Amino acid sequence: MSQEATLPADRAVAFGPKARRVSVPVTIGKVTMGGLNPIVVQSMTNTDTADIDGTVQQVHALAQAGSEIVRVTVDTERAAAAIPHIKEKLLARGVDTPIVGDFHYIGHKLLENHPACAEALDKYRINPGNVGFKEKRDTQFSKMVEKAIEYGKPVRIGVNWGSLDQDLVVRLMDENAKSANPMTAEEVTQEALVQSAISNAMRAEDLGLGRDRIVLSCKVSEVQSLIKVYRELARRGDWALHLGLTEAGMGSKGIVASTAAMAVLMQEGIGDTIRVSLTPEPGGDRTKEVIVAQEMLQTMGLRAFTPLVTACPGCGRTTSTVFQELAETVQGYVRGMMPTWREQYDGAENLSLAVMGCIVNGPGESKHADIGISLPGTGEAPTAPVFVDGEKVATLRGGAIAEDFKKIVDDYVARKYPRKTGGVPSGAGVDAAE
């Protein structure tokens, strides 16, 4: 292994059961990642960037869902020309989420030909594997880095095993074949990813780009490979790291794979920003990847974004769908209210809720949440006790349990969390206050 680097003892701080790897902070627009800053959630559009209105709409939706950085593809002259107009329209909507330009093959030309694009973007993403080929690779990579320096922009050097520098792979394979203790082909590929990221980061620094403007990533689509690669990246330097399992897949497969890989790394203190690369269902909502990333961080106890609802899985004692429907309703309600609560109250995202299905664990679990409700299971009396801060405060009955419970939540938020200066009460908050 080459280009070894270890972090001095004073670069580690308490971070759960492990020590967090403290990287060099990097500022992207209004967001700073790395160092001791919270792990940042980001996402990517799947619109044609040349479609200005469509891209603005999707960026706005991703930002509203909680994406703190949004990446867009900049692969054509029309896409590059659209960037300043997209930025202008977003700002007119009050959306100042940093926008990252994802460049392929001709990024050096696009940045040269479209200075307004180069200025409007908050960060450039460069993949060393497709920035150019053979003798053009270094020249074109250098031109993009020089543009980043000219415009004062940070860069993510994002290596992907689907477009890995084949010259590097062949060289390492040849060296490995001559080794007394050869690695597997998979291990050679992992080493190539790490070396590509680090060598290009060092080249960017040699060109004058500060380490505080460099983010590294090595994307693969296998869980164990991602863990091994990022452990090596973390061991060899203190660059800020972007985590993500590429081509994670659709639905539960993509969610499970992304969580399995990134949770291990984040538990070890590795990672400064994450993206969950979910393949959306046809016509599906792109914002789902943002929600999954937030829930991953929140369930690990690393950040809080919105109140999460604890609910039992159901069993033979809960043959109706009442508690499932209420859990879904409550989770949707608090997620929908969170943008308003975030503006009005300090700490509302830390609220914990429980919707339980029967008397076996219902009252006990409900007492552990800030607010909990235990619904009647099969054969139980048609009543639903509600617990607030561990104490029973009400018993709900009838067909308006969902509305009554939401009112209790509204009242609790208005009473429990300090109101921010200048906050305007929402409709729910006004009722609670009155």
Side-chain angles (χ1 to χ4, degrees), residues 33-85:
M33 55 172 283
L36 295 179
N37 293 287
I39 297 171
V40 173
V41 171
Q42 53 180 291
S43 60
M44 185 176 185
T45 60
N46 61 358
T47 58
D48 177 357
T49 307
D51 174 7
I52 295 172
D53 290 337
T55 302
V56 167
Q57 184 62 36
Q58 192 171 91
V59 172
H60 192 177
L62 290 166
Q64 280 189 317
S67 184
E68 293 159 307
I69 298 174
V70 178
R71 182 160 48 112
V72 302
T73 299
V74 187
D75 58 343
T76 65
E77 298 283 347
R78 292 178 63 238
I83 291 296
H85 301 292

Side-chain angles (χ1 to χ4, degrees), residues 370-392:
D370 292 326
I371 309 173
I373 184 170
S374 179
L375 293 166
T378 305
E380 294 178 12
T383 61
V386 177
F387 300 85
V388 173
D389 292 332
E391 301 293 331
K392 183 179 175 180

